[in-house]
Every structure is written in structure tokens, then in C-alpha cells.
Amino acid sequence: MYRSKLGNPEIDHLFEAILTLESLEDCYRFFEDLCTIHELQSLAQRMEVARQLDEKKTYSHIAEATGASTATISRVNRSLLYGADGYRRALDRVKAQEKADTTEEKREE
């Protein structure tokens, strides 16, 4: 099991709580209680920056589209390239889920 340098019992408990969330509604309710609006918007912005970097968008395009600073974009890019693969794993899983959803929709037509 991967153990982050950040790992401690409090963070473990937080992540265990996140892993119990079962729906988008659960996530909205939990994160609305846990985070300030600004914190949540910052997290969402970083994820969007990672998605656009993964799509090979330019820094200038990403900055304009997301409002992220070039420092934030650079930090996210560094994590994508040299980090713990957290963004990569999440991006790949979201893409796989989107593909499965699209396939399911086509089958239903």
C-alpha cells in the first residue's frame, strides 16, 4: 500500500470518510460541510487544469479557460509529471467511466 509522507491518522480518517461517499450528492453534501467555497473551487480548478494539461492544452489556453495562474498550472503540471500519480489515476478513471457511460448510452438507443 502506498504511504504518503503526509500520512497520519487524521488524514487516514478523512480519506476513509471520502471513500464511503456513494454518489455525487454525497460528495456535494460532504465537501460543502468540509470546505469553504473558495477551497472547493480551488480544488476543482486544479482538477480542471490537470484535465486540460492531459488534453495537451497550452498554458495560455488553460489560464484563460480556468482563471488559474501560470504558477498553479505549472505546479499541477509538475505533479502530473513527477508526483505520486494521483492526478493520473483520477484522470484515467474518469475517462474510463465517461467511455463506459457513452457505450451504455449507445446501447440504450
Side-chain angles (χ1 to χ4, degrees):
M1 179 168 117
Y2 175 79
R3 284 307 274 180
S4 169
K5 293 174 261 181
L6 304 175
N8 66 44
E10 291 82 11
I11 293 175
D12 288 351
H13 290 279
L14 170 63
F15 292 163
E16 288 165 0
I18 291 169
L19 289 170
T20 69
L21 303 175
E22 296 179 350
S23 67
L24 194 57
E25 180 181 347
D26 282 352
C27 288
Y28 270 100
R29 289 174 179 270
F30 181 77
F31 283 97
E32 187 173 326
D33 286 349
L34 180 68
C35 300
T36 65
I37 292 170
H38 181 73
E39 289 167 336
L40 192 51
Q41 289 170 335
S42 292
L43 294 170
Q45 181 188 61
R46 289 182 203 147
M47 193 64 204
E48 180 59 19
V49 166
R51 188 185 67 76
Q52 290 195 28
L53 284 167
D54 187 53
E55 293 177 353
K56 308 298 186 217
K57 302 284 170 80
T58 65
Y59 275 36
S60 59
H61 172 86
I62 296 168
E64 186 176 324
T66 66
S69 68
T70 55
T72 295
I73 298 167
S74 179
R75 207 169 25 249
V76 171
N77 192 46
R78 200 168 35 255
S79 292
L80 276 168
L81 296 173
Y82 308 111
D85 285 335
Y87 280 121
R88 172 64 37 223
R89 294 173 85 155
L91 289 167
D92 289 349
R93 289 174 183 166
V94 168
K95 280 193 269 186
Q97 184 61 52
E98 288 171 349
K99 184 177 179 181
D101 291 347
T102 301
T103 301
E104 182 64 28
E105 287 173 13
K106 287 182 182 179
R107 262 188 271 176
E108 291 177 357
E109 291 177 354

